[in-house]
Amino acid sequence: MTANPTGLALGVDVGGTKIFGVVVDDQQRILNELRIPTVQGGMRDWGEAVTEEIAVVIHSLHHEAGLAIGSLPICVGVPGMVDAAGTLIYAPNLQSATQAPMLTQLQRQFPDVAIRIENDANCAAYCEFRAGAGRGHDDMTMITLGTGIGGGIIAGGRPFRGGRGFAGEFGHMVMDPKGPHCPCGASGCWERYVSGSAVERMTAEALIQGRLDTIVAQRANKSVALTGEEVSAAALAGNREARALLEPMASWLARGIAVLATVLDPTCVVIGGGLTDVMKLFLPEVRDLLPTLLEGGVLHPGIDVVPAFFGESAGAIGASMLAREEG
Amino acid sequence: MTANPTGLALGVDVGGTKIFGVVVDDQQRILNELRIPTVQGGMRDWGEAVTEEIAVVIHSLHHEAGLAIGSLPICVGVPGMVDAAGTLIYAPNLQSATQAPMLTQLQRQFPDVAIRIENDANCAAYCEFRAGAGRGHDDMTMITLGTGIGGGIIAGGRPFRGGRGFAGEFGHMVMDPKGPHCPCGASGCWERYVSGSAVERMTAEALIQGRLDTIVAQRANKSVALTGEEVSAAALAGNREARALLEPMASWLARGIAVLATVLDPTCVVIGGGLTDVMKLFLPEVRDLLPTLLEGGVLHPGIDVVPAFFGESAGAIGASMLAREEG
C-alpha cells in the first residue's frame, strides 16, 4: 500500500444493468476500472443490496491500485433523485431502491472517507464540461438519451442541483398533454418521444404497419421480434426505412432543447447516453430546427448542440472529478 | 446636495405602459418614487427614446432626494432579454426596442456611475427572495403573470441568468404543440393559457358562447366589449361565471410549475405580476394538483407555491437591491 499519488480519485457509475467503477488521475486518465452486473431488483431491500455491491467495487479498486481505503476521495453517481443526505429518494427505473440511505450505509462501512452520492447525469455533465464536448461553456446542459432521458446542468461552471438535488429531470417534462402514457403517471413526457423506449415503441408500431419490411427480410432469426436496437443499428448502417422511422426524434429533441433554452439559456447542449451515435445522424436537422423554435428567432444567440465526447465512461469519470474537487 | 447616506440605491422598472423609479434604503423602504408613462413604440429608435426617459427618471430622483449623480448605484429592470453588455436584445412586447444598447447610452450620459441593466423578472425574483414571499428559499422560482409570463430564477441565493442572461423566459415554454398560436411564432406557449392575454382570449370566446351573461347584464355601459380585467374583478367579487371561466388557469399554472420543478427543483415558487390577486383564488387548487404532476409523486418533496409579497413594486425594489449588492 502506498499513499495517494497526487490527484487520484474514485468514481462509480451505477446503472440498471451494471456498476462501473474507475480510479482516475487528474488528467482524466483511467488507471483502474471494474465492471460488475447490477444486482437485480424487485426485492424490498434492493437499495441496500446495490450499495453493498458498490462497497465491493470500492474495495476491489483500492486493492488493485495498491491504495489504502481512505486515500482516495469517492463519488458514486446513481440514476435518480438524490437528496443532500445522500439518500436515493426516487429512481424511476429502479423503483424498489426508493428511499435508500446509500451514503449512510457506505459511511458505516468506510468511516472517515470522503464519499458523496450524486445524480449520474450530473456526473456525466461535469465530465463533458470539464474535459469533453462542453469544454469552455460555463452554462451547459447535458441530455443523456438512454432507456429514458437524464439531464445534467452546469451553471456558472458548477453543477446545478436545485433546492433538493432534483434539478435536471428533463425526461418528465410534459411535451404534449395528449401524448403517450408514461410510467411516471403523466402523459406526453419528453422521454416518450426521444429515448431507447421511444425507439422500441416506434419499432413496435412500425412492425404492425409493415414499415420495416427490408430490415425484417434481412434478419437471420425471424422468430424473435425486431428490437429498437436493431432498428438503430440499421439506421446507422444506412437503411432508409429505419432512418425514416427514427427521424421524428429530431424534431422532438429540438423541441425539448427549446424548452430547456427558454428556462436555462445554455450556450451548449451536449447529447450523450446510449443513443448518442444514432442521434448524430439527426443532429444537423436538430441544429436547423432549433433557431425556428426559440423566442426571438434569429435574434436569439446560437446554441451549440454537440455529441458527448466521453461516451459511456462520462458518468464514472465525472464522478471521480466531483470526488476530487468537491469531496 | 449631500453624500450618499449608507445603503441607498436607485432602481428603475421599465414596463410597456410606465417607467417606475425608486430610491430605496437598505431596509427596502422607498424614500422617493417617480412614475412616468412609457413613450409609445413603433418608431425605429424606441429603444433610444425609452432610454432617454430612464435618464430623466434617474436625474429627477437624484434631484428630489438632494443627491449628486454618482452617489447612488443604479439598476434598470427591462422586460426582455438583456445581454452582458446591457443591450436589450429582444423584448417580446416591445419589438421596436430590439437590439437597444441601453447601458452604453446611459453610461454616455452618466459616466463613472455604477449602472446595470437587468431583466425585470430577475429583479422581482430577487426582491421576493431577499425580503418577500420567497425569503429563506435559496432555490426559488418567480413567475410573473402579466400580459404574458415572465420568470426569474434564484439559484443558491443568487440570480440565475443563464449563459447570455436569457434564462427564465418561461412564458414561451411550449405546453401543447397543437395549442393556440402565439405572437412569438410557436403554438401552445404557456402564456397562451395563464396570463392577461389568456384571460382576454377566454373572455372573448365566452362572450360568443353566452357564458358571461350575469356579468354582461350588470354592466352600466353595454356598448363597450367586456374586458378580461372586468372578468378578473368579477371573479374576485365572487361571480361564479367569471370564476368558472378562469378556473382552467389553475391546472395550466400547475402544469407549467411541474415542468419548471422538473428542470430547476425550486423549494418555493412565487406567483407575482398583475394577475396575482385573481390567481390567489386558484392557488389552493394549484397546490392540490402539483404533487400529482411531479415525477415521484408523493415522494417528491413539497414545493411552496405562494403569492408575491411586494406586488407591483417588486421589480423596482429588486433592481435597487441588485444595484446595491452587485453594482
Side-chain angles (χ1 to χ4, degrees), chain B residues 259-318:
Chain B
V259 173
L260 294 174
T262 297
V263 178
L264 295 169
D265 182 31
T267 57
C268 177
V269 173
V270 178
I271 308 298
L275 261 67
T276 307
D277 284 336
V278 72
M279 284 314 294
K280 277 186 196 170
L281 296 175
F282 302 109
L283 287 190
E285 195 176 333
V286 171
R287 293 185 189 114
D288 283 348
L289 279 170
L290 188 56
T292 71
L293 299 170
L294 295 173
E295 184 195 1
V298 291
L299 295 173
H300 199 292
I303 298 172
D304 287 352
V305 180
V306 292
F309 177 82
F310 278 91
E312 303 213 33
S313 307
I317 296 176

Short mmCIF file of all heavy atoms in Angstrom, two decimals, chain B residues 259-318:
data_model
loop_
_atom_site.label_atom_id
_atom_site.label_comp_id
_atom_site.label_asym_id
_atom_site.label_seq_id
_atom_site.Cartn_x
_atom_site.Cartn_y
_atom_site.Cartn_z
N VAL B 259 -43.28 21.47 -14.97
CA VAL B 259 -42.14 21.46 -15.90
C VAL B 259 -40.94 22.17 -15.26
O VAL B 259 -39.81 21.66 -15.27
CB VAL B 259 -42.49 22.13 -17.25
CG1 VAL B 259 -41.25 22.26 -18.12
CG2 VAL B 259 -43.58 21.34 -17.97
N LEU B 260 -41.20 23.32 -14.66
CA LEU B 260 -40.10 24.07 -14.03
C LEU B 260 -39.49 23.28 -12.87
O LEU B 260 -38.27 23.30 -12.67
CB LEU B 260 -40.61 25.43 -13.54
CG LEU B 260 -41.04 26.38 -14.66
CD1 LEU B 260 -41.67 27.63 -14.08
CD2 LEU B 260 -39.85 26.74 -15.53
N ALA B 261 -40.33 22.57 -12.12
CA ALA B 261 -39.82 21.78 -10.99
C ALA B 261 -38.91 20.67 -11.51
O ALA B 261 -37.87 20.36 -10.91
CB ALA B 261 -40.98 21.19 -10.20
N THR B 262 -39.29 20.08 -12.65
CA THR B 262 -38.51 19.02 -13.27
C THR B 262 -37.12 19.52 -13.65
O THR B 262 -36.13 18.82 -13.49
CB THR B 262 -39.27 18.54 -14.52
OG1 THR B 262 -40.52 18.00 -14.08
CG2 THR B 262 -38.51 17.53 -15.30
N VAL B 263 -37.05 20.75 -14.15
CA VAL B 263 -35.77 21.28 -14.62
C VAL B 263 -34.99 21.92 -13.47
O VAL B 263 -33.79 21.67 -13.32
CB VAL B 263 -35.99 22.33 -15.74
CG1 VAL B 263 -34.67 22.92 -16.21
CG2 VAL B 263 -36.74 21.70 -16.91
N LEU B 264 -35.67 22.74 -12.64
CA LEU B 264 -34.96 23.62 -11.70
C LEU B 264 -35.01 23.16 -10.24
O LEU B 264 -34.20 23.61 -9.44
CB LEU B 264 -35.55 25.03 -11.78
CG LEU B 264 -35.36 25.77 -13.10
CD1 LEU B 264 -36.23 27.04 -13.11
CD2 LEU B 264 -33.89 26.14 -13.32
N ASP B 265 -36.00 22.35 -9.88
CA ASP B 265 -36.15 21.89 -8.49
C ASP B 265 -36.12 23.04 -7.47
O ASP B 265 -35.30 23.04 -6.55
CB ASP B 265 -35.05 20.86 -8.16
CG ASP B 265 -35.16 20.31 -6.75
OD1 ASP B 265 -36.29 20.21 -6.23
OD2 ASP B 265 -34.11 19.99 -6.16
N PRO B 266 -37.01 24.01 -7.59
CA PRO B 266 -37.08 25.04 -6.56
C PRO B 266 -37.79 24.50 -5.32
O PRO B 266 -38.59 23.57 -5.42
CB PRO B 266 -37.93 26.13 -7.21
CG PRO B 266 -38.84 25.37 -8.13
CD PRO B 266 -38.04 24.18 -8.63
N THR B 267 -37.52 25.08 -4.16
CA THR B 267 -38.29 24.71 -2.96
C THR B 267 -39.50 25.62 -2.81
O THR B 267 -40.39 25.34 -2.03
CB THR B 267 -37.42 24.80 -1.70
OG1 THR B 267 -36.89 26.13 -1.58
CG2 THR B 267 -36.26 23.81 -1.76
N CYS B 268 -39.51 26.74 -3.56
CA CYS B 268 -40.59 27.70 -3.45
C CYS B 268 -40.84 28.34 -4.81
O CYS B 268 -39.89 28.66 -5.54
CB CYS B 268 -40.19 28.78 -2.43
SG CYS B 268 -41.39 30.11 -2.23
N VAL B 269 -42.11 28.50 -5.16
CA VAL B 269 -42.49 29.20 -6.39
C VAL B 269 -43.34 30.40 -5.98
O VAL B 269 -44.36 30.23 -5.29
CB VAL B 269 -43.28 28.28 -7.34
CG1 VAL B 269 -43.82 29.06 -8.53
CG2 VAL B 269 -42.40 27.13 -7.82
N VAL B 270 -42.91 31.59 -6.37
CA VAL B 270 -43.64 32.80 -6.03
C VAL B 270 -44.41 33.28 -7.26
O VAL B 270 -43.84 33.39 -8.35
CB VAL B 270 -42.68 33.91 -5.55
CG1 VAL B 270 -43.46 35.19 -5.24
CG2 VAL B 270 -41.89 33.46 -4.32
N ILE B 271 -45.71 33.53 -7.08
CA ILE B 271 -46.56 33.98 -8.18
C ILE B 271 -46.76 35.49 -8.04
O ILE B 271 -47.33 35.96 -7.05
CB ILE B 271 -47.94 33.29 -8.12
CG1 ILE B 271 -47.80 31.77 -8.04
CG2 ILE B 271 -48.80 33.71 -9.32
CD1 ILE B 271 -47.13 31.12 -9.20
N GLY B 272 -46.27 36.26 -9.02
CA GLY B 272 -46.40 37.71 -8.96
C GLY B 272 -47.01 38.27 -10.23
O GLY B 272 -47.57 37.55 -11.05
N GLY B 273 -46.91 39.59 -10.39
CA GLY B 273 -47.45 40.25 -11.57
C GLY B 273 -48.89 40.69 -11.36
O GLY B 273 -49.50 40.43 -10.31
N GLY B 274 -49.45 41.34 -12.38
CA GLY B 274 -50.77 41.93 -12.27
C GLY B 274 -51.90 40.95 -11.98
O GLY B 274 -52.95 41.35 -11.47
N LEU B 275 -51.69 39.66 -12.30
CA LEU B 275 -52.76 38.68 -12.07
C LEU B 275 -52.67 38.02 -10.69
O LEU B 275 -53.42 37.08 -10.40
CB LEU B 275 -52.70 37.58 -13.14
CG LEU B 275 -53.69 37.72 -14.30
CD1 LEU B 275 -53.35 38.93 -15.14
CD2 LEU B 275 -53.72 36.47 -15.15
N THR B 276 -51.76 38.52 -9.84
CA THR B 276 -51.54 37.86 -8.55
C THR B 276 -52.84 37.68 -7.77
O THR B 276 -53.14 36.58 -7.29
CB THR B 276 -50.54 38.66 -7.70
OG1 THR B 276 -49.36 38.88 -8.47
CG2 THR B 276 -50.16 37.90 -6.43
N ASP B 277 -53.63 38.77 -7.65
CA ASP B 277 -54.83 38.68 -6.81
C ASP B 277 -55.83 37.65 -7.32
O ASP B 277 -56.35 36.85 -6.55
CB ASP B 277 -55.49 40.06 -6.68
CG ASP B 277 -54.71 40.95 -5.73
OD1 ASP B 277 -53.99 40.42 -4.86
OD2 ASP B 277 -54.82 42.19 -5.87
N VAL B 278 -56.06 37.68 -8.63
CA VAL B 278 -57.05 36.74 -9.15
C VAL B 278 -56.51 35.30 -9.05
O VAL B 278 -57.26 34.37 -8.75
CB VAL B 278 -57.52 37.12 -10.57
CG1 VAL B 278 -56.46 36.87 -11.61
CG2 VAL B 278 -58.80 36.38 -10.94
N MET B 279 -55.20 35.12 -9.24
CA MET B 279 -54.66 33.76 -9.12
C MET B 279 -54.70 33.25 -7.69
O MET B 279 -54.71 32.03 -7.47
CB MET B 279 -53.23 33.71 -9.67
CG MET B 279 -53.14 33.71 -11.19
SD MET B 279 -54.28 32.57 -12.07
CE MET B 279 -53.66 30.96 -11.54
N LYS B 280 -54.72 34.15 -6.71
CA LYS B 280 -54.84 33.70 -5.31
C LYS B 280 -56.09 32.84 -5.12
O LYS B 280 -56.10 31.93 -4.30
CB LYS B 280 -54.91 34.91 -4.37
CG LYS B 280 -53.57 35.51 -4.00
CD LYS B 280 -53.78 36.61 -2.96
CE LYS B 280 -52.56 37.50 -2.84
NZ LYS B 280 -52.83 38.69 -2.02
N LEU B 281 -57.15 33.14 -5.91
CA LEU B 281 -58.39 32.35 -5.82
C LEU B 281 -58.13 30.89 -6.15
O LEU B 281 -58.82 30.00 -5.67
CB LEU B 281 -59.44 32.88 -6.82
CG LEU B 281 -59.99 34.28 -6.64
CD1 LEU B 281 -60.91 34.62 -7.80
CD2 LEU B 281 -60.75 34.36 -5.31
N PHE B 282 -57.13 30.66 -7.02
CA PHE B 282 -56.93 29.31 -7.53
C PHE B 282 -55.71 28.60 -6.93
O PHE B 282 -55.43 27.46 -7.25
CB PHE B 282 -56.82 29.36 -9.07
CG PHE B 282 -58.02 29.97 -9.72
CD1 PHE B 282 -57.96 31.22 -10.31
CD2 PHE B 282 -59.23 29.30 -9.71
CE1 PHE B 282 -59.08 31.79 -10.91
CE2 PHE B 282 -60.36 29.86 -10.30
CZ PHE B 282 -60.29 31.11 -10.89
N LEU B 283 -54.97 29.30 -6.06
CA LEU B 283 -53.76 28.67 -5.53
C LEU B 283 -54.04 27.40 -4.72
O LEU B 283 -53.26 26.44 -4.81
CB LEU B 283 -52.92 29.67 -4.72
CG LEU B 283 -52.18 30.73 -5.55
CD1 LEU B 283 -51.21 31.50 -4.66
CD2 LEU B 283 -51.43 30.12 -6.72
N PRO B 284 -55.14 27.32 -3.96
CA PRO B 284 -55.40 26.04 -3.27
C PRO B 284 -55.50 24.88 -4.27
O PRO B 284 -54.95 23.80 -4.03
CB PRO B 284 -56.74 26.29 -2.56
CG PRO B 284 -56.77 27.78 -2.35
CD PRO B 284 -56.10 28.37 -3.57
N GLU B 285 -56.16 25.12 -5.41
CA GLU B 285 -56.29 24.07 -6.42
C GLU B 285 -54.92 23.75 -7.04
O GLU B 285 -54.59 22.58 -7.28
CB GLU B 285 -57.26 24.56 -7.50
CG GLU B 285 -57.74 23.45 -8.40
CD GLU B 285 -58.79 23.95 -9.40
OE1 GLU B 285 -59.50 24.94 -9.10
OE2 GLU B 285 -58.87 23.34 -10.49
N VAL B 286 -54.11 24.79 -7.29
CA VAL B 286 -52.77 24.57 -7.84
C VAL B 286 -51.96 23.70 -6.88
O VAL B 286 -51.29 22.75 -7.29
CB VAL B 286 -52.06 25.92 -8.09
CG1 VAL B 286 -50.59 25.70 -8.46
CG2 VAL B 286 -52.77 26.71 -9.17
N ARG B 287 -52.04 24.01 -5.59
CA ARG B 287 -51.27 23.25 -4.58
C ARG B 287 -51.74 21.80 -4.50
O ARG B 287 -50.95 20.90 -4.24
CB ARG B 287 -51.41 23.92 -3.21
CG ARG B 287 -50.75 25.29 -3.14
CD ARG B 287 -50.81 25.87 -1.72
NE ARG B 287 -50.36 27.26 -1.72
CZ ARG B 287 -51.14 28.31 -1.44
NH1 ARG B 287 -52.41 28.12 -1.10
NH2 ARG B 287 -50.65 29.53 -1.48
N ASP B 288 -53.05 21.57 -4.71
CA ASP B 288 -53.55 20.20 -4.69
C ASP B 288 -53.10 19.42 -5.91
O ASP B 288 -52.78 18.23 -5.83
CB ASP B 288 -55.10 20.20 -4.67
CG ASP B 288 -55.64 20.54 -3.29
OD1 ASP B 288 -54.86 20.55 -2.32
OD2 ASP B 288 -56.86 20.80 -3.20
N LEU B 289 -53.08 20.10 -7.07
CA LEU B 289 -52.74 19.42 -8.32
C LEU B 289 -51.26 19.10 -8.43
O LEU B 289 -50.88 18.05 -8.96
CB LEU B 289 -53.13 20.31 -9.51
CG LEU B 289 -54.58 20.31 -9.96
CD1 LEU B 289 -54.81 21.42 -10.97
CD2 LEU B 289 -54.90 18.94 -10.59
N LEU B 290 -50.43 20.00 -7.96
CA LEU B 290 -48.99 19.91 -8.25
C LEU B 290 -48.37 18.56 -7.89
O LEU B 290 -47.67 17.97 -8.73
CB LEU B 290 -48.25 21.08 -7.58
CG LEU B 290 -46.79 21.24 -7.95
CD1 LEU B 290 -46.60 21.37 -9.45
CD2 LEU B 290 -46.20 22.45 -7.23
N PRO B 291 -48.61 18.03 -6.68
CA PRO B 291 -47.96 16.75 -6.35
C PRO B 291 -48.35 15.63 -7.30
O PRO B 291 -47.56 14.71 -7.53
CB PRO B 291 -48.46 16.45 -4.93
CG PRO B 291 -48.90 17.77 -4.38
CD PRO B 291 -49.40 18.55 -5.56
N THR B 292 -49.55 15.71 -7.90
CA THR B 292 -49.96 14.65 -8.83
C THR B 292 -49.24 14.78 -10.17
O THR B 292 -49.27 13.86 -10.99
CB THR B 292 -51.49 14.70 -9.11
OG1 THR B 292 -51.77 15.87 -9.91
CG2 THR B 292 -52.28 14.79 -7.82
N LEU B 293 -48.58 15.91 -10.40
CA LEU B 293 -47.93 16.14 -11.70
C LEU B 293 -46.42 15.96 -11.64
O LEU B 293 -45.74 16.01 -12.65
CB LEU B 293 -48.24 17.57 -12.18
CG LEU B 293 -49.72 17.89 -12.41
CD1 LEU B 293 -49.91 19.38 -12.64
CD2 LEU B 293 -50.26 17.09 -13.60
N LEU B 294 -45.87 15.77 -10.43
CA LEU B 294 -44.41 15.71 -10.29
C LEU B 294 -43.93 14.27 -10.37
O LEU B 294 -44.56 13.36 -9.82
CB LEU B 294 -43.98 16.31 -8.96
CG LEU B 294 -44.24 17.80 -8.80
CD1 LEU B 294 -43.92 18.23 -7.37
CD2 LEU B 294 -43.40 18.58 -9.79
N GLU B 295 -42.76 14.09 -11.02
CA GLU B 295 -42.13 12.77 -11.05
C GLU B 295 -41.87 12.34 -9.61
O GLU B 295 -41.36 13.11 -8.79
CB GLU B 295 -40.80 12.89 -11.82
CG GLU B 295 -40.11 11.56 -12.01
CD GLU B 295 -38.66 11.76 -12.44
OE1 GLU B 295 -38.23 12.91 -12.56
OE2 GLU B 295 -37.98 10.76 -12.64
N GLY B 296 -42.20 11.10 -9.31
CA GLY B 296 -42.01 10.62 -7.95
C GLY B 296 -43.24 10.85 -7.08
O GLY B 296 -43.32 10.33 -5.98
N GLY B 297 -44.20 11.63 -7.61
CA GLY B 297 -45.47 11.84 -6.90
C GLY B 297 -45.25 12.26 -5.46
O GLY B 297 -44.55 13.23 -5.18
N VAL B 298 -45.83 11.51 -4.53
CA VAL B 298 -45.76 11.90 -3.12
C VAL B 298 -44.34 11.82 -2.57
O VAL B 298 -44.04 12.40 -1.53
CB VAL B 298 -46.68 11.02 -2.25
CG1 VAL B 298 -48.14 11.32 -2.57
CG2 VAL B 298 -46.37 9.54 -2.43
N LEU B 299 -43.46 11.09 -3.26
CA LEU B 299 -42.06 11.02 -2.79
C LEU B 299 -41.33 12.32 -3.10
O LEU B 299 -40.28 12.61 -2.53
CB LEU B 299 -41.32 9.86 -3.47
CG LEU B 299 -41.85 8.47 -3.12
CD1 LEU B 299 -41.16 7.43 -3.98
CD2 LEU B 299 -41.60 8.18 -1.64
N HIS B 300 -41.85 13.09 -4.06
CA HIS B 300 -41.21 14.35 -4.41
C HIS B 300 -41.44 15.33 -3.26
O HIS B 300 -42.57 15.53 -2.85
CB HIS B 300 -41.81 14.90 -5.71
CG HIS B 300 -40.93 15.91 -6.36
ND1 HIS B 300 -40.70 17.15 -5.81
CD2 HIS B 300 -40.21 15.88 -7.50
CE1 HIS B 300 -39.88 17.83 -6.61
NE2 HIS B 300 -39.56 17.08 -7.63
N PRO B 301 -40.38 15.94 -2.74
CA PRO B 301 -40.60 16.89 -1.65
C PRO B 301 -41.48 18.04 -2.09
O PRO B 301 -41.48 18.41 -3.27
CB PRO B 301 -39.19 17.38 -1.31
CG PRO B 301 -38.24 16.66 -2.18
CD PRO B 301 -38.99 15.89 -3.20
N GLY B 302 -42.25 18.56 -1.17
CA GLY B 302 -43.21 19.61 -1.48
C GLY B 302 -42.55 20.89 -2.01
O GLY B 302 -41.38 21.15 -1.78
N ILE B 303 -43.33 21.65 -2.74
CA ILE B 303 -42.90 22.95 -3.25
C ILE B 303 -43.91 23.98 -2.75
O ILE B 303 -45.10 23.85 -2.98
CB ILE B 303 -42.88 22.95 -4.79
CG1 ILE B 303 -41.88 21.90 -5.31
CG2 ILE B 303 -42.56 24.34 -5.34
CD1 ILE B 303 -41.94 21.68 -6.80
N ASP B 304 -43.44 24.99 -2.02
CA ASP B 304 -44.34 26.06 -1.58
C ASP B 304 -44.74 26.89 -2.79
O ASP B 304 -43.86 27.38 -3.52
CB ASP B 304 -43.62 27.00 -0.60
CG ASP B 304 -43.41 26.37 0.76
OD1 ASP B 304 -43.95 25.26 0.99
OD2 ASP B 304 -42.71 26.97 1.59
N VAL B 305 -46.03 27.06 -3.02
CA VAL B 305 -46.50 27.96 -4.08
C VAL B 305 -47.21 29.11 -3.39
O VAL B 305 -48.25 28.92 -2.76
CB VAL B 305 -47.44 27.23 -5.06
CG1 VAL B 305 -47.90 28.18 -6.15
CG2 VAL B 305 -46.75 26.02 -5.67
N VAL B 306 -46.62 30.30 -3.46
CA VAL B 306 -47.11 31.43 -2.66
C VAL B 306 -47.24 32.69 -3.52
O VAL B 306 -46.50 32.88 -4.47
CB VAL B 306 -46.14 31.72 -1.48
CG1 VAL B 306 -46.18 30.58 -0.47
CG2 VAL B 306 -44.71 31.93 -1.97
N PRO B 307 -48.20 33.55 -3.16
CA PRO B 307 -48.32 34.82 -3.89
C PRO B 307 -47.20 35.77 -3.49
O PRO B 307 -46.69 35.72 -2.37
CB PRO B 307 -49.68 35.36 -3.45
CG PRO B 307 -49.97 34.70 -2.14
CD PRO B 307 -49.24 33.38 -2.13
N ALA B 308 -46.82 36.64 -4.42
CA ALA B 308 -45.76 37.63 -4.16
C ALA B 308 -46.18 38.58 -3.04
O ALA B 308 -47.37 38.81 -2.82
CB ALA B 308 -45.47 38.41 -5.43
N PHE B 309 -45.21 39.08 -2.32
CA PHE B 309 -45.48 39.99 -1.21
C PHE B 309 -45.43 41.45 -1.65
O PHE B 309 -46.21 42.27 -1.22
CB PHE B 309 -44.45 39.74 -0.11
CG PHE B 309 -44.56 40.65 1.08
CD1 PHE B 309 -45.49 40.41 2.08
CD2 PHE B 309 -43.75 41.77 1.19
CE1 PHE B 309 -45.60 41.25 3.17
CE2 PHE B 309 -43.85 42.63 2.28
CZ PHE B 309 -44.79 42.37 3.26
N PHE B 310 -44.49 41.76 -2.55
CA PHE B 310 -44.23 43.16 -2.86
C PHE B 310 -45.10 43.74 -3.97
O PHE B 310 -45.00 44.92 -4.27
CB PHE B 310 -42.75 43.37 -3.21
CG PHE B 310 -41.88 43.52 -2.01
CD1 PHE B 310 -41.26 42.42 -1.43
CD2 PHE B 310 -41.70 44.76 -1.42
CE1 PHE B 310 -40.47 42.56 -0.31
CE2 PHE B 310 -40.90 44.91 -0.29
CZ PHE B 310 -40.29 43.81 0.27
N GLY B 311 -45.90 42.89 -4.59
CA GLY B 311 -46.80 43.40 -5.63
C GLY B 311 -46.01 44.07 -6.75
O GLY B 311 -44.89 43.65 -7.08
N GLU B 312 -46.58 45.13 -7.29
CA GLU B 312 -46.00 45.74 -8.49
C GLU B 312 -44.71 46.51 -8.23
O GLU B 312 -44.04 46.92 -9.16
CB GLU B 312 -47.05 46.64 -9.15
CG GLU B 312 -48.31 45.86 -9.49
CD GLU B 312 -48.99 46.36 -10.75
OE1 GLU B 312 -48.29 46.81 -11.67
OE2 GLU B 312 -50.23 46.31 -10.80
N SER B 313 -44.36 46.71 -6.95
CA SER B 313 -43.10 47.40 -6.66
C SER B 313 -41.90 46.46 -6.66
O SER B 313 -40.76 46.92 -6.55
CB SER B 313 -43.18 48.09 -5.29
OG SER B 313 -44.30 48.92 -5.21
N ALA B 314 -42.15 45.17 -6.73
CA ALA B 314 -41.06 44.20 -6.59
C ALA B 314 -39.94 44.44 -7.60
O ALA B 314 -38.75 44.35 -7.26
CB ALA B 314 -41.60 42.77 -6.71
N GLY B 315 -40.31 44.75 -8.85
CA GLY B 315 -39.30 44.94 -9.89
C GLY B 315 -38.36 46.09 -9.57
O GLY B 315 -37.13 45.95 -9.61
N ALA B 316 -38.93 47.25 -9.20
CA ALA B 316 -38.10 48.43 -8.93
C ALA B 316 -37.28 48.25 -7.65
O ALA B 316 -36.09 48.58 -7.61
CB ALA B 316 -38.99 49.67 -8.84
N ILE B 317 -37.91 47.69 -6.60
CA ILE B 317 -37.17 47.49 -5.35
C ILE B 317 -36.06 46.45 -5.54
O ILE B 317 -34.93 46.63 -5.09
CB ILE B 317 -38.13 47.07 -4.21
CG1 ILE B 317 -39.13 48.20 -3.91
CG2 ILE B 317 -37.35 46.70 -2.95
CD1 ILE B 317 -40.19 47.85 -2.87
N GLY B 318 -36.40 45.37 -6.26
CA GLY B 318 -35.39 44.35 -6.54
C GLY B 318 -34.23 44.92 -7.36
O GLY B 318 -33.06 44.58 -7.13
#
